[in-house]
Amino acid sequence: KQEVTQIPAALSVPEGENLVLNCSFTDSAIYNLQWFRQDPGKGLTSLLLIQSSQREQTSGRLNASLDKSSGRSTLYIAASQPGDSATYLCAVFAGTYKYIFGTGTRLKVLA
Amino acid sequence: DADVTQTPRNRITKTGKRIMLECSQTKGHDRMYWYRQDPGLGLRLIYYSFDVKDINKGEISDGYSVSRQAQAKFSLSLESAIPNQTALYFCATSERGSGANVLTFGAGSRLTVL
């Protein structure tokens, strides 16, 4: 059974730091992996999607990597800003309808 | 307007009451989903629908039912609400035939059952 784990559960950093959020999964048979951002009282916004054949994706200050063989993905945030404060979730897509979500990392960037 | 709209956004109800959460989308997507989010548990799938005539149970469908009234509308019902159904509920859509199957989420409906 696929399990997705995100460590740490919470993270607090000063503004300007580069940081890495981790996502691990137990079954490498995935189609893709998505990183989402969740703001309080709001839905999930898709940040980056990495297909199983890809190693990384970049969007602005965000870079996500995928290592299927080791069951790991990282989300790198460069030059963090207070506006980056949110909960970040990863989800693996196992095909058809099945997304398995991690429990998220709650990030706080201090001004 | 949001691509995926959920109503109500917040609802407080009592045990035993019937509750309906509604979802409508303007994405033109075939696939729609209902998820539940609880602290420390992540999102769990309640029901999913690939088109109006195709509705399937997810991992935690007990105590819930759904209706796909049209391609753009997918509602979730709690026939007799109980306190452990207190949670944040999300509707999501995705496009059939899209290999990536990117999910688009609504803003969520927070339900409290007293």
Side-chain angles (χ1 to χ4, degrees):
Chain A
K1 179 184 174 186
Q2 177 76 271
E3 294 183 359
V4 179
T5 303
Q6 292 185 249
I7 295 173
L11 184 62
S12 186
V13 299
E15 182 177 8
E17 271 204 9
N18 301 324
L19 57 99
V20 174
L21 306 181
N22 296 297
C23 173
S24 61
F25 48 95
T26 55
D27 186 346
S28 63
I30 65 171
Y31 283 80
N32 63 52
L33 183 145
Q34 283 186 250
W35 281 93
F36 293 88
R37 170 182 173 141
Q38 183 177 14
D39 293 282
K42 297 186 180 180
L44 281 70
T45 302
S46 182
L47 297 173
L48 289 165
L49 180 143
I50 312 176
Q51 297 283 16
S52 62
S53 58
Q54 296 175 320
R55 297 284 294 182
E56 64 179 294
Q57 281 286 335
T58 298
S59 176
R61 294 183 294 108
L62 304 179
N63 175 275
S65 67
L66 175 64
D67 184 343
K68 271 181 54 178
S69 61
S70 65
R72 294 179 59 186
S73 176
T74 60
L75 179 66
Y76 175 82
I77 303 177
S80 59
Q81 303 169 357
D84 294 329
S85 298
T87 297
Y88 291 82
L89 296 99
C90 67
V92 298
F93 180 49
T96 313
Y97 68 91
K98 206 165 182 63
Y99 275 95
I100 309 298
F101 286 82
T103 53
T105 294
R106 190 169 63 253
L107 173 66
K108 186 168 187 178
V109 181
L110 305 170
Chain B
D1 288 344
D3 293 326
V4 182
T5 302
Q6 293 184 232
T7 56
R9 294 292 314 279
N10 288 284
R11 183 73 182 267
I12 299 174
T13 191
K14 294 182 179 180
T15 297
K17 295 291 188 181
R18 184 177 188 273
I19 294 295
M20 179 180 288
L21 306 179
E22 299 185 339
C23 177
S24 62
Q25 53 116 344
T26 58
K27 299 284 289 184
H29 287 170
D30 296 280
R31 301 179 174 190
M32 298 188 74
Y33 310 79
W34 275 104
Y35 287 93
R36 166 179 173 158
Q37 186 178 40
D38 297 276
L41 290 179
L43 275 77
R44 293 179 291 167
L45 183 63
I46 306 172
Y47 272 93
Y48 65 99
S49 170
F50 280 1
D51 66 37
V52 173
K53 296 181 180 180
D54 180 27
I55 293 177
N56 304 279
K57 293 181 178 181
E59 60 181 307
I60 55 164
S61 59
D62 287 349
Y64 302 94
S65 62
V66 291
S67 174
R68 185 86 183 262
Q69 301 95 325
Q71 187 200 37
K73 295 183 181 294
F74 193 36
S75 59
L76 176 71
S77 293
L78 289 68
E79 296 301 325
S80 180
I82 56 177
N84 76 0
Q85 291 178 313
T86 293
L88 184 57
Y89 291 85
F90 285 107
C91 176
T93 71
S94 67
E95 185 174 22
R96 181 181 61 183
S98 165
N101 208 54
V102 176
L103 290 174
T104 301
F105 281 85
S109 296
R110 184 168 296 281
L111 177 65
T112 302
V113 183
L114 302 177

